[in-house]
Amino acid sequence: LGVYLSSSYRGGAYISGVVSDAAAEDAGLRRGDVIISLNGYEINDDDDLKAVLSRLTPGQRVEVVYTRRGEERTTSVRLGRKR
């Protein structure tokens, strides 16, 4: 996905940074966004996000629901290979 996460955040996976030229950047995700759902799976923290990502395959297109400044948004991401 290409994001750095804050492990102390609850209520979603808080993006503390985005890797340049990675899938997350291409999808428009930014530092400060909070991922709350990935491909229909509820995300409560960074461990949930890592668990869901581990079941997916590179090249797969997934739906990401996230919040930015309290507003819920949805984007689609094509997963790259693990760096």
Side-chain angles (χ1 to χ4, degrees), residues 5-58:
L5 302 170
S6 172
S7 61
S8 63
Y9 191 85
R10 297 293 176 256
Y14 180 87
I15 299 175
S16 60
V18 177
V19 176
S20 182
D21 296 324
E25 183 181 62
D26 292 343
L29 294 172
R30 298 184 199 159
R31 186 175 136 233
D33 290 347
V34 178
I35 298 173
I36 57 173
S37 175
L38 184 70
N39 240 25
Y41 293 96
E42 183 178 351
I43 305 297
N44 294 302
D45 56 28
D46 64 318
D47 289 331
D48 285 349
L49 181 61
K50 292 172 189 174
V52 172
L53 286 171
S54 73
R55 295 187 294 248
L56 303 174
T57 57

